[in-house]
Amino acid sequence: MKEFIIIVTLCSFWVSSIAYQISSNSRRSTFSRRQLLQETAAAGIILPVVTQIPRCASAKGFDDEISFITSTSDTYHLVLKNKQAFISELSAEESTSALPPQVPAIAFQKLSKVAHGVEGKIESDDFSYLAVEYAELAGAARDYFKLAKLGRLGENGSPEVAMEYAQQCVSKLEEASVVLDTLLQAVE
């Protein structure tokens, strides 16, 4: 960030010197178009470089969100690699299985600024809507996960009830995984 401030300061000095030169040239009766074109061309080279600096500095902040989404997506794939084992473990009486973490909405809000379209899947404007869909699917998977653990308890509990909720949980995990992969492609 210090580099950005230094460059902006130097550019402001440079622009003020150009303005002084133009004003001193305007006192003369003739004004050189060549000189004006040279000065504006130099500004055309410097300004795009300066405007890219904040983007580079802020892209560093997005690396954390992108790496978290990548690791979460990998966790989804790991859980879904052997669905039947996950369903059996989840519907078991002493289940120790866990769900992949859910990506927080704030991460998607930050990334929506740099999201781009994914051909055949989404346009860049749909990123936020797809993030909401992911949140709904991941929340439904979490609800079915809890219901699968509670499905054996109580008067109406049975292994079949727990198994049904575990299957519904896996179904929602599959859908959430597909949506999360699309979101990840939109920010890579």
Side-chain angles (χ1 to χ4, degrees):
M1 194 62 171
K2 289 180 182 179
E3 296 87 8
F4 175 70
I5 293 170
I6 291 169
I7 291 175
V8 168
T9 305
L10 290 174
C11 285
S12 65
F13 285 132
W14 180 70
V15 169
S16 63
S17 71
I18 290 175
Y20 176 75
Q21 289 174 0
I22 290 173
S23 67
S24 66
N25 285 342
S26 64
R27 291 183 191 133
R28 289 190 266 156
S29 60
T30 60
F31 184 72
S32 168
R33 280 185 277 163
R34 180 179 295 179
Q35 184 181 8
L36 179 66
L37 288 174
Q38 288 173 344
E39 290 171 358
T40 55
I45 293 170
I46 297 293
L47 284 175
V49 173
V50 172
T51 57
Q52 293 297 323
I53 291 173
R55 185 176 298 147
C56 295
S58 63
K60 181 181 176 188
F62 295 137
D63 290 342
D64 294 337
E65 285 82 6
I66 292 172
S67 66
F68 182 69
I69 292 173
T70 303
S71 67
T72 302
S73 178
D74 293 343
T75 308
Y76 272 96
H77 292 292
L78 187 64
V79 166
L80 294 171
K81 186 181 275 187
N82 195 350
K83 297 177 209 172
Q84 283 308 114
F86 182 75
I87 291 171
S88 299
E89 170 64 26
L90 182 56
S91 60
E93 203 163 319
E94 297 295 323
S95 175
T96 59
S97 58
L99 281 177
Q102 185 171 344
V103 179
I106 190 77
F108 293 121
Q109 288 173 346
K110 290 178 184 177
L111 291 170
S112 67
K113 298 171 189 170
V114 295
H116 54 83
V118 177
E119 190 173 331
K121 294 185 179 181
I122 66 166
E123 294 179 18
S124 62
D125 297 339
D126 296 336
F127 183 82
S128 298
Y129 299 113
L130 198 62
V132 169
E133 184 178 343
Y134 164 76
E136 290 172 355
L137 290 169
R142 186 179 57 247
D143 292 344
Y144 282 122
F145 181 82
K146 290 176 184 177
L147 287 170
K149 288 193 172 234
L150 296 172
R152 291 184 155 269
L153 305 175
E155 188 176 301
N156 294 328
S158 69
E160 293 82 25
V161 171
M163 185 72 75
E164 178 63 30
Y165 285 132
Q167 289 171 346
Q168 289 292 329
C169 176
V170 167
S171 172
K172 294 300 177 186
L173 283 175
E174 288 175 332
E175 292 177 47
S177 176
V178 170
V179 171
L180 187 62
D181 288 343
T182 303
L183 289 167
L184 184 59
Q185 290 173 5
V187 294
E188 287 183 327

